[in-house]
Amino acid sequence: MARVGDTVTARVLGVLDAFSAEHPELTLTEIARRSALPLSTAHRLVAELAGWGALERGDDGRYRIGLRLWEVGALAPRSVGLREAAMPFLTDLHEVTGENVQLAVLDGAEVVYVDRISGRGAVNVITRVGGRLPLHATGVGLVLLAHAPAALQEQVLAAPLRRYTERTICAPAELRRVLADVRRTGVAVSDRQIELVALSVAAPVRGPRDEVVAALSVVVPAATSDARAYVPVVRAAARGVSRSLGASG
């Protein structure tokens, strides 16, 4: 959160950081409180951000993130080329399975979802484009963590592992074994770790130097699905995206 003594830039970022998936719309007072700014300062910054298009004010007086900020964020180079290369294969995977398919990248110790195709009759998922989840509890997260630098792996293993369901991997030794399995098999299965109704099957996407740059997954109903049946099509989609990005493998 921004503080009174912070720079103008820090205060502006604090205002934007006040918004989240849990709080997508805020009143001016809520923005001031969540960004730790005086109400008068928050009023001035919010007005400037709204004038530029970074924020939008609804008829109810509440503010939300504006389209202008989305336009700027969509220019992030890691997202643009990757999404363009991946879309044909994500579409094919969705048409073959009829389920939710997702594309994600590593950012710090979290997964950021950069694209998603939802099936009308597919199992409900909590992920959204631009959303974040921890690495240890998602299929794409397990793939990205398994191929991450050793220092990041140790950082995640040493930190408290949040439990979402009784199936969430929270023991460092078990997570270490799972990561070794992901590297060996080239695929990750996250079975009811985030929600008890869903499991995901994920595979790595590689870049021009054969480094893992992203992961894609399909999310299916846990009660009626055999994860093994989805492994070949998920691997094939990941290989297709990798070839489009110039991977030699």
mmCIF file with all atom_site columns, all heavy atoms in Angstrom, residues 128-153:
data_model
loop_
_atom_site.group_PDB
_atom_site.id
_atom_site.type_symbol
_atom_site.label_atom_id
_atom_site.label_alt_id
_atom_site.label_comp_id
_atom_site.label_asym_id
_atom_site.label_entity_id
_atom_site.label_seq_id
_atom_site.pdbx_PDB_ins_code
_atom_site.Cartn_x
_atom_site.Cartn_y
_atom_site.Cartn_z
_atom_site.occupancy
_atom_site.B_iso_or_equiv
_atom_site.pdbx_formal_charge
_atom_site.auth_seq_id
_atom_site.auth_comp_id
_atom_site.auth_asym_id
_atom_site.auth_atom_id
_atom_site.pdbx_PDB_model_num
ATOM 1   N N   . ARG A 1 128 ? -9.303  -16.749 -14.246 1.00 0.00 ? 128 ARG A N   1
ATOM 2   C CA  . ARG A 1 128 ? -9.720  -15.726 -15.195 1.00 0.00 ? 128 ARG A CA  1
ATOM 3   C C   . ARG A 1 128 ? -8.464  -15.167 -15.854 1.00 0.00 ? 128 ARG A C   1
ATOM 4   O O   . ARG A 1 128 ? -7.354  -15.259 -15.287 1.00 0.00 ? 128 ARG A O   1
ATOM 5   C CB  . ARG A 1 128 ? -10.481 -14.598 -14.495 1.00 0.00 ? 128 ARG A CB  1
ATOM 6   C CG  . ARG A 1 128 ? -9.662  -13.893 -13.435 1.00 0.00 ? 128 ARG A CG  1
ATOM 7   C CD  . ARG A 1 128 ? -10.414 -12.791 -12.716 1.00 0.00 ? 128 ARG A CD  1
ATOM 8   N NE  . ARG A 1 128 ? -9.580  -12.182 -11.698 1.00 0.00 ? 128 ARG A NE  1
ATOM 9   C CZ  . ARG A 1 128 ? -8.674  -11.229 -11.926 1.00 0.00 ? 128 ARG A CZ  1
ATOM 10  N NH1 . ARG A 1 128 ? -8.523  -10.769 -13.173 1.00 0.00 ? 128 ARG A NH1 1
ATOM 11  N NH2 . ARG A 1 128 ? -7.940  -10.729 -10.975 1.00 0.00 ? 128 ARG A NH2 1
ATOM 12  N N   . VAL A 1 129 ? -8.606  -14.603 -17.035 1.00 0.00 ? 129 VAL A N   1
ATOM 13  C CA  . VAL A 1 129 ? -7.474  -13.979 -17.716 1.00 0.00 ? 129 VAL A CA  1
ATOM 14  C C   . VAL A 1 129 ? -6.963  -12.828 -16.858 1.00 0.00 ? 129 VAL A C   1
ATOM 15  O O   . VAL A 1 129 ? -7.735  -11.971 -16.431 1.00 0.00 ? 129 VAL A O   1
ATOM 16  C CB  . VAL A 1 129 ? -7.877  -13.482 -19.112 1.00 0.00 ? 129 VAL A CB  1
ATOM 17  C CG1 . VAL A 1 129 ? -6.722  -12.717 -19.757 1.00 0.00 ? 129 VAL A CG1 1
ATOM 18  C CG2 . VAL A 1 129 ? -8.289  -14.648 -19.999 1.00 0.00 ? 129 VAL A CG2 1
ATOM 19  N N   . GLY A 1 130 ? -5.666  -12.818 -16.596 1.00 0.00 ? 130 GLY A N   1
ATOM 20  C CA  . GLY A 1 130 ? -5.080  -11.813 -15.719 1.00 0.00 ? 130 GLY A CA  1
ATOM 21  C C   . GLY A 1 130 ? -5.061  -12.226 -14.267 1.00 0.00 ? 130 GLY A C   1
ATOM 22  O O   . GLY A 1 130 ? -4.440  -11.558 -13.438 1.00 0.00 ? 130 GLY A O   1
ATOM 23  N N   . GLY A 1 131 ? -5.720  -13.334 -13.941 1.00 0.00 ? 131 GLY A N   1
ATOM 24  C CA  . GLY A 1 131 ? -5.766  -13.796 -12.557 1.00 0.00 ? 131 GLY A CA  1
ATOM 25  C C   . GLY A 1 131 ? -4.507  -14.541 -12.160 1.00 0.00 ? 131 GLY A C   1
ATOM 26  O O   . GLY A 1 131 ? -3.742  -15.009 -13.004 1.00 0.00 ? 131 GLY A O   1
ATOM 27  N N   . ARG A 1 132 ? -4.312  -14.667 -10.868 1.00 0.00 ? 132 ARG A N   1
ATOM 28  C CA  . ARG A 1 132 ? -3.127  -15.321 -10.322 1.00 0.00 ? 132 ARG A CA  1
ATOM 29  C C   . ARG A 1 132 ? -3.521  -16.441 -9.361  1.00 0.00 ? 132 ARG A C   1
ATOM 30  O O   . ARG A 1 132 ? -4.517  -16.326 -8.653  1.00 0.00 ? 132 ARG A O   1
ATOM 31  C CB  . ARG A 1 132 ? -2.249  -14.322 -9.557  1.00 0.00 ? 132 ARG A CB  1
ATOM 32  C CG  . ARG A 1 132 ? -1.621  -13.245 -10.425 1.00 0.00 ? 132 ARG A CG  1
ATOM 33  C CD  . ARG A 1 132 ? -0.946  -12.187 -9.569  1.00 0.00 ? 132 ARG A CD  1
ATOM 34  N NE  . ARG A 1 132 ? -0.261  -11.205 -10.387 1.00 0.00 ? 132 ARG A NE  1
ATOM 35  C CZ  . ARG A 1 132 ? 1.023   -11.246 -10.699 1.00 0.00 ? 132 ARG A CZ  1
ATOM 36  N NH1 . ARG A 1 132 ? 1.785   -12.221 -10.214 1.00 0.00 ? 132 ARG A NH1 1
ATOM 37  N NH2 . ARG A 1 132 ? 1.576   -10.332 -11.462 1.00 0.00 ? 132 ARG A NH2 1
ATOM 38  N N   . LEU A 1 133 ? -2.705  -17.484 -9.340  1.00 0.00 ? 133 LEU A N   1
ATOM 39  C CA  . LEU A 1 133 ? -2.854  -18.552 -8.365  1.00 0.00 ? 133 LEU A CA  1
ATOM 40  C C   . LEU A 1 133 ? -1.464  -19.042 -7.978  1.00 0.00 ? 133 LEU A C   1
ATOM 41  O O   . LEU A 1 133 ? -0.501  -18.862 -8.732  1.00 0.00 ? 133 LEU A O   1
ATOM 42  C CB  . LEU A 1 133 ? -3.683  -19.703 -8.943  1.00 0.00 ? 133 LEU A CB  1
ATOM 43  C CG  . LEU A 1 133 ? -5.209  -19.512 -8.984  1.00 0.00 ? 133 LEU A CG  1
ATOM 44  C CD1 . LEU A 1 133 ? -5.867  -20.666 -9.706  1.00 0.00 ? 133 LEU A CD1 1
ATOM 45  C CD2 . LEU A 1 133 ? -5.786  -19.358 -7.580  1.00 0.00 ? 133 LEU A CD2 1
ATOM 46  N N   . PRO A 1 134 ? -1.337  -19.687 -6.822  1.00 0.00 ? 134 PRO A N   1
ATOM 47  C CA  . PRO A 1 134 ? -0.022  -20.197 -6.412  1.00 0.00 ? 134 PRO A CA  1
ATOM 48  C C   . PRO A 1 134 ? 0.426   -21.363 -7.283  1.00 0.00 ? 134 PRO A C   1
ATOM 49  O O   . PRO A 1 134 ? -0.395  -22.039 -7.913  1.00 0.00 ? 134 PRO A O   1
ATOM 50  C CB  . PRO A 1 134 ? -0.245  -20.624 -4.954  1.00 0.00 ? 134 PRO A CB  1
ATOM 51  C CG  . PRO A 1 134 ? -1.696  -20.857 -4.849  1.00 0.00 ? 134 PRO A CG  1
ATOM 52  C CD  . PRO A 1 134 ? -2.352  -19.875 -5.777  1.00 0.00 ? 134 PRO A CD  1
ATOM 53  N N   . LEU A 1 135 ? 1.707   -21.595 -7.299  1.00 0.00 ? 135 LEU A N   1
ATOM 54  C CA  . LEU A 1 135 ? 2.280   -22.598 -8.192  1.00 0.00 ? 135 LEU A CA  1
ATOM 55  C C   . LEU A 1 135 ? 1.985   -24.031 -7.765  1.00 0.00 ? 135 LEU A C   1
ATOM 56  O O   . LEU A 1 135 ? 1.821   -24.911 -8.613  1.00 0.00 ? 135 LEU A O   1
ATOM 57  C CB  . LEU A 1 135 ? 3.802   -22.408 -8.278  1.00 0.00 ? 135 LEU A CB  1
ATOM 58  C CG  . LEU A 1 135 ? 4.285   -21.111 -8.930  1.00 0.00 ? 135 LEU A CG  1
ATOM 59  C CD1 . LEU A 1 135 ? 5.776   -20.919 -8.675  1.00 0.00 ? 135 LEU A CD1 1
ATOM 60  C CD2 . LEU A 1 135 ? 4.005   -21.128 -10.420 1.00 0.00 ? 135 LEU A CD2 1
ATOM 61  N N   . HIS A 1 136 ? 1.887   -24.284 -6.477  1.00 0.00 ? 136 HIS A N   1
ATOM 62  C CA  . HIS A 1 136 ? 1.850   -25.660 -5.989  1.00 0.00 ? 136 HIS A CA  1
ATOM 63  C C   . HIS A 1 136 ? 0.509   -26.354 -6.174  1.00 0.00 ? 136 HIS A C   1
ATOM 64  O O   . HIS A 1 136 ? 0.436   -27.578 -6.067  1.00 0.00 ? 136 HIS A O   1
ATOM 65  C CB  . HIS A 1 136 ? 2.221   -25.693 -4.499  1.00 0.00 ? 136 HIS A CB  1
ATOM 66  C CG  . HIS A 1 136 ? 1.166   -25.118 -3.603  1.00 0.00 ? 136 HIS A CG  1
ATOM 67  N ND1 . HIS A 1 136 ? 0.981   -23.759 -3.476  1.00 0.00 ? 136 HIS A ND1 1
ATOM 68  C CD2 . HIS A 1 136 ? 0.231   -25.698 -2.812  1.00 0.00 ? 136 HIS A CD2 1
ATOM 69  C CE1 . HIS A 1 136 ? -0.014  -23.525 -2.634  1.00 0.00 ? 136 HIS A CE1 1
ATOM 70  N NE2 . HIS A 1 136 ? -0.487  -24.687 -2.208  1.00 0.00 ? 136 HIS A NE2 1
ATOM 71  N N   . ALA A 1 137 ? -0.552  -25.589 -6.465  1.00 0.00 ? 137 ALA A N   1
ATOM 72  C CA  . ALA A 1 137 ? -1.896  -26.182 -6.423  1.00 0.00 ? 137 ALA A CA  1
ATOM 73  C C   . ALA A 1 137 ? -2.587  -26.263 -7.775  1.00 0.00 ? 137 ALA A C   1
ATOM 74  O O   . ALA A 1 137 ? -3.744  -26.672 -7.846  1.00 0.00 ? 137 ALA A O   1
ATOM 75  C CB  . ALA A 1 137 ? -2.771  -25.384 -5.444  1.00 0.00 ? 137 ALA A CB  1
ATOM 76  N N   . THR A 1 138 ? -1.919  -25.891 -8.852  1.00 0.00 ? 138 THR A N   1
ATOM 77  C CA  . THR A 1 138 ? -2.530  -25.901 -10.178 1.00 0.00 ? 138 THR A CA  1
ATOM 78  C C   . THR A 1 138 ? -1.685  -26.734 -11.136 1.00 0.00 ? 138 THR A C   1
ATOM 79  O O   . THR A 1 138 ? -0.468  -26.867 -10.950 1.00 0.00 ? 138 THR A O   1
ATOM 80  C CB  . THR A 1 138 ? -2.650  -24.473 -10.740 1.00 0.00 ? 138 THR A CB  1
ATOM 81  O OG1 . THR A 1 138 ? -1.338  -23.906 -10.872 1.00 0.00 ? 138 THR A OG1 1
ATOM 82  C CG2 . THR A 1 138 ? -3.481  -23.582 -9.829  1.00 0.00 ? 138 THR A CG2 1
ATOM 83  N N   . GLY A 1 139 ? -2.322  -27.262 -12.174 1.00 0.00 ? 139 GLY A N   1
ATOM 84  C CA  . GLY A 1 139 ? -1.574  -28.035 -13.153 1.00 0.00 ? 139 GLY A CA  1
ATOM 85  C C   . GLY A 1 139 ? -0.514  -27.213 -13.850 1.00 0.00 ? 139 GLY A C   1
ATOM 86  O O   . GLY A 1 139 ? 0.652   -27.620 -13.940 1.00 0.00 ? 139 GLY A O   1
ATOM 87  N N   . VAL A 1 140 ? -0.912  -26.036 -14.355 1.00 0.00 ? 140 VAL A N   1
ATOM 88  C CA  . VAL A 1 140 ? 0.071   -25.174 -15.024 1.00 0.00 ? 140 VAL A CA  1
ATOM 89  C C   . VAL A 1 140 ? 1.146   -24.719 -14.046 1.00 0.00 ? 140 VAL A C   1
ATOM 90  O O   . VAL A 1 140 ? 2.319   -24.574 -14.407 1.00 0.00 ? 140 VAL A O   1
ATOM 91  C CB  . VAL A 1 140 ? -0.618  -23.963 -15.688 1.00 0.00 ? 140 VAL A CB  1
ATOM 92  C CG1 . VAL A 1 140 ? -1.405  -24.377 -16.917 1.00 0.00 ? 140 VAL A CG1 1
ATOM 93  C CG2 . VAL A 1 140 ? -1.506  -23.203 -14.710 1.00 0.00 ? 140 VAL A CG2 1
ATOM 94  N N   . GLY A 1 141 ? 0.760   -24.490 -12.808 1.00 0.00 ? 141 GLY A N   1
ATOM 95  C CA  . GLY A 1 141 ? 1.737   -24.074 -11.805 1.00 0.00 ? 141 GLY A CA  1
ATOM 96  C C   . GLY A 1 141 ? 2.764   -25.144 -11.527 1.00 0.00 ? 141 GLY A C   1
ATOM 97  O O   . GLY A 1 141 ? 3.970   -24.862 -11.395 1.00 0.00 ? 141 GLY A O   1
ATOM 98  N N   . LEU A 1 142 ? 2.329   -26.390 -11.442 1.00 0.00 ? 142 LEU A N   1
ATOM 99  C CA  . LEU A 1 142 ? 3.269   -27.489 -11.207 1.00 0.00 ? 142 LEU A CA  1
ATOM 100 C C   . LEU A 1 142 ? 4.254   -27.629 -12.362 1.00 0.00 ? 142 LEU A C   1
ATOM 101 O O   . LEU A 1 142 ? 5.437   -27.890 -12.158 1.00 0.00 ? 142 LEU A O   1
ATOM 102 C CB  . LEU A 1 142 ? 2.499   -28.786 -10.998 1.00 0.00 ? 142 LEU A CB  1
ATOM 103 C CG  . LEU A 1 142 ? 1.698   -28.885 -9.696  1.00 0.00 ? 142 LEU A CG  1
ATOM 104 C CD1 . LEU A 1 142 ? 0.822   -30.129 -9.696  1.00 0.00 ? 142 LEU A CD1 1
ATOM 105 C CD2 . LEU A 1 142 ? 2.628   -28.892 -8.481  1.00 0.00 ? 142 LEU A CD2 1
ATOM 106 N N   . VAL A 1 143 ? 3.755   -27.449 -13.595 1.00 0.00 ? 143 VAL A N   1
ATOM 107 C CA  . VAL A 1 143 ? 4.639   -27.504 -14.762 1.00 0.00 ? 143 VAL A CA  1
ATOM 108 C C   . VAL A 1 143 ? 5.683   -26.393 -14.690 1.00 0.00 ? 143 VAL A C   1
ATOM 109 O O   . VAL A 1 143 ? 6.885   -26.630 -14.867 1.00 0.00 ? 143 VAL A O   1
ATOM 110 C CB  . VAL A 1 143 ? 3.825   -27.392 -16.063 1.00 0.00 ? 143 VAL A CB  1
ATOM 111 C CG1 . VAL A 1 143 ? 4.745   -27.117 -17.256 1.00 0.00 ? 143 VAL A CG1 1
ATOM 112 C CG2 . VAL A 1 143 ? 3.035   -28.657 -16.306 1.00 0.00 ? 143 VAL A CG2 1
ATOM 113 N N   . LEU A 1 144 ? 5.229   -25.176 -14.445 1.00 0.00 ? 144 LEU A N   1
ATOM 114 C CA  . LEU A 1 144 ? 6.146   -24.036 -14.425 1.00 0.00 ? 144 LEU A CA  1
ATOM 115 C C   . LEU A 1 144 ? 7.125   -24.133 -13.269 1.00 0.00 ? 144 LEU A C   1
ATOM 116 O O   . LEU A 1 144 ? 8.311   -23.800 -13.418 1.00 0.00 ? 144 LEU A O   1
ATOM 117 C CB  . LEU A 1 144 ? 5.342   -22.738 -14.340 1.00 0.00 ? 144 LEU A CB  1
ATOM 118 C CG  . LEU A 1 144 ? 4.490   -22.434 -15.585 1.00 0.00 ? 144 LEU A CG  1
ATOM 119 C CD1 . LEU A 1 144 ? 3.535   -21.280 -15.315 1.00 0.00 ? 144 LEU A CD1 1
ATOM 120 C CD2 . LEU A 1 144 ? 5.378   -22.106 -16.776 1.00 0.00 ? 144 LEU A CD2 1
ATOM 121 N N   . LEU A 1 145 ? 6.669   -24.590 -12.111 1.00 0.00 ? 145 LEU A N   1
ATOM 122 C CA  . LEU A 1 145 ? 7.567   -24.728 -10.962 1.00 0.00 ? 145 LEU A CA  1
ATOM 123 C C   . LEU A 1 145 ? 8.574   -25.843 -11.196 1.00 0.00 ? 145 LEU A C   1
ATOM 124 O O   . LEU A 1 145 ? 9.752   -25.717 -10.825 1.00 0.00 ? 145 LEU A O   1
ATOM 125 C CB  . LEU A 1 145 ? 6.750   -24.999 -9.704  1.00 0.00 ? 145 LEU A CB  1
ATOM 126 C CG  . LEU A 1 145 ? 7.537   -25.087 -8.392  1.00 0.00 ? 145 LEU A CG  1
ATOM 127 C CD1 . LEU A 1 145 ? 8.316   -23.790 -8.136  1.00 0.00 ? 145 LEU A CD1 1
ATOM 128 C CD2 . LEU A 1 145 ? 6.603   -25.382 -7.221  1.00 0.00 ? 145 LEU A CD2 1
ATOM 129 N N   . ALA A 1 146 ? 8.153   -26.924 -11.819 1.00 0.00 ? 146 ALA A N   1
ATOM 130 C CA  . ALA A 1 146 ? 9.064   -28.043 -12.068 1.00 0.00 ? 146 ALA A CA  1
ATOM 131 C C   . ALA A 1 146 ? 10.233  -27.640 -12.955 1.00 0.00 ? 146 ALA A C   1
ATOM 132 O O   . ALA A 1 146 ? 11.329  -28.200 -12.841 1.00 0.00 ? 146 ALA A O   1
ATOM 133 C CB  . ALA A 1 146 ? 8.294   -29.207 -12.711 1.00 0.00 ? 146 ALA A CB  1
ATOM 134 N N   . HIS A 1 147 ? 10.014  -26.663 -13.832 1.00 0.00 ? 147 HIS A N   1
ATOM 135 C CA  . HIS A 1 147 ? 11.057  -26.227 -14.756 1.00 0.00 ? 147 HIS A CA  1
ATOM 136 C C   . HIS A 1 147 ? 11.636  -24.862 -14.380 1.00 0.00 ? 147 HIS A C   1
ATOM 137 O O   . HIS A 1 147 ? 12.381  -24.279 -15.177 1.00 0.00 ? 147 HIS A O   1
ATOM 138 C CB  . HIS A 1 147 ? 10.498  -26.196 -16.178 1.00 0.00 ? 147 HIS A CB  1
ATOM 139 C CG  . HIS A 1 147 ? 10.087  -27.543 -16.681 1.00 0.00 ? 147 HIS A CG  1
ATOM 140 N ND1 . HIS A 1 147 ? 10.993  -28.454 -17.176 1.00 0.00 ? 147 HIS A ND1 1
ATOM 141 C CD2 . HIS A 1 147 ? 8.873   -28.149 -16.746 1.00 0.00 ? 147 HIS A CD2 1
ATOM 142 C CE1 . HIS A 1 147 ? 10.348  -29.556 -17.532 1.00 0.00 ? 147 HIS A CE1 1
ATOM 143 N NE2 . HIS A 1 147 ? 9.069   -29.397 -17.286 1.00 0.00 ? 147 HIS A NE2 1
ATOM 144 N N   . ALA A 1 148 ? 11.292  -24.366 -13.211 1.00 0.00 ? 148 ALA A N   1
ATOM 145 C CA  . ALA A 1 148 ? 11.796  -23.069 -12.747 1.00 0.00 ? 148 ALA A CA  1
ATOM 146 C C   . ALA A 1 148 ? 13.212  -23.227 -12.187 1.00 0.00 ? 148 ALA A C   1
ATOM 147 O O   . ALA A 1 148 ? 13.657  -24.345 -11.895 1.00 0.00 ? 148 ALA A O   1
ATOM 148 C CB  . ALA A 1 148 ? 10.874  -22.508 -11.674 1.00 0.00 ? 148 ALA A CB  1
ATOM 149 N N   . PRO A 1 149 ? 13.943  -22.113 -12.038 1.00 0.00 ? 149 PRO A N   1
ATOM 150 C CA  . PRO A 1 149 ? 15.267  -22.188 -11.418 1.00 0.00 ? 149 PRO A CA  1
ATOM 151 C C   . PRO A 1 149 ? 15.190  -22.819 -10.028 1.00 0.00 ? 149 PRO A C   1
ATOM 152 O O   . PRO A 1 149 ? 14.191  -22.684 -9.319  1.00 0.00 ? 149 PRO A O   1
ATOM 153 C CB  . PRO A 1 149 ? 15.695  -20.719 -11.339 1.00 0.00 ? 149 PRO A CB  1
ATOM 154 C CG  . PRO A 1 149 ? 14.919  -20.037 -12.422 1.00 0.00 ? 149 PRO A CG  1
ATOM 155 C CD  . PRO A 1 149 ? 13.603  -20.746 -12.484 1.00 0.00 ? 149 PRO A CD  1
ATOM 156 N N   . ALA A 1 150 ? 16.261  -23.491 -9.648  1.00 0.00 ? 150 ALA A N   1
ATOM 157 C CA  . ALA A 1 150 ? 16.294  -24.198 -8.366  1.00 0.00 ? 150 ALA A CA  1
ATOM 158 C C   . ALA A 1 150 ? 16.022  -23.259 -7.190  1.00 0.00 ? 150 ALA A C   1
ATOM 159 O O   . ALA A 1 150 ? 15.366  -23.643 -6.217  1.00 0.00 ? 150 ALA A O   1
ATOM 160 C CB  . ALA A 1 150 ? 17.640  -24.890 -8.191  1.00 0.00 ? 150 ALA A CB  1
ATOM 161 N N   . ALA A 1 151 ? 16.505  -22.013 -7.292  1.00 0.00 ? 151 ALA A N   1
ATOM 162 C CA  . ALA A 1 151 ? 16.308  -21.066 -6.190  1.00 0.00 ? 151 ALA A CA  1
ATOM 163 C C   . ALA A 1 151 ? 14.827  -20.780 -5.965  1.00 0.00 ? 151 ALA A C   1
ATOM 164 O O   . ALA A 1 151 ? 14.365  -20.682 -4.818  1.00 0.00 ? 151 ALA A O   1
ATOM 165 C CB  . ALA A 1 151 ? 17.058  -19.769 -6.477  1.00 0.00 ? 151 ALA A CB  1
ATOM 166 N N   . LEU A 1 152 ? 14.072  -20.642 -7.049  1.00 0.00 ? 152 LEU A N   1
ATOM 167 C CA  . LEU A 1 152 ? 12.638  -20.397 -6.909  1.00 0.00 ? 152 LEU A CA  1
ATOM 168 C C   . LEU A 1 152 ? 11.934  -21.630 -6.354  1.00 0.00 ? 152 LEU A C   1
ATOM 169 O O   . LEU A 1 152 ? 11.034  -21.516 -5.509  1.00 0.00 ? 152 LEU A O   1
ATOM 170 C CB  . LEU A 1 152 ? 12.029  -20.002 -8.255  1.00 0.00 ? 152 LEU A CB  1
ATOM 171 C CG  . LEU A 1 152 ? 10.509  -19.776 -8.254  1.00 0.00 ? 152 LEU A CG  1
ATOM 172 C CD1 . LEU A 1 152 ? 10.127  -18.688 -7.265  1.00 0.00 ? 152 LEU A CD1 1
ATOM 173 C CD2 . LEU A 1 152 ? 10.004  -19.435 -9.645  1.00 0.00 ? 152 LEU A CD2 1
ATOM 174 N N   . GLN A 1 153 ? 12.329  -22.803 -6.805  1.00 0.00 ? 153 GLN A N   1
ATOM 175 C CA  . GLN A 1 153 ? 11.735  -24.022 -6.265  1.00 0.00 ? 153 GLN A CA  1
ATOM 176 C C   . GLN A 1 153 ? 11.939  -24.102 -4.756  1.00 0.00 ? 153 GLN A C   1
ATOM 177 O O   . GLN A 1 153 ? 10.999  -24.403 -4.002  1.00 0.00 ? 153 GLN A O   1
ATOM 178 C CB  . GLN A 1 153 ? 12.348  -25.247 -6.950  1.00 0.00 ? 153 GLN A CB  1
ATOM 179 C CG  . GLN A 1 153 ? 11.985  -25.379 -8.420  1.00 0.00 ? 153 GLN A CG  1
ATOM 180 C CD  . GLN A 1 153 ? 12.545  -26.647 -9.034  1.00 0.00 ? 153 GLN A CD  1
ATOM 181 O OE1 . GLN A 1 153 ? 12.842  -27.610 -8.333  1.00 0.00 ? 153 GLN A OE1 1
ATOM 182 N NE2 . GLN A 1 153 ? 12.703  -26.664 -10.345 1.00 0.00 ? 153 GLN A NE2 1
#
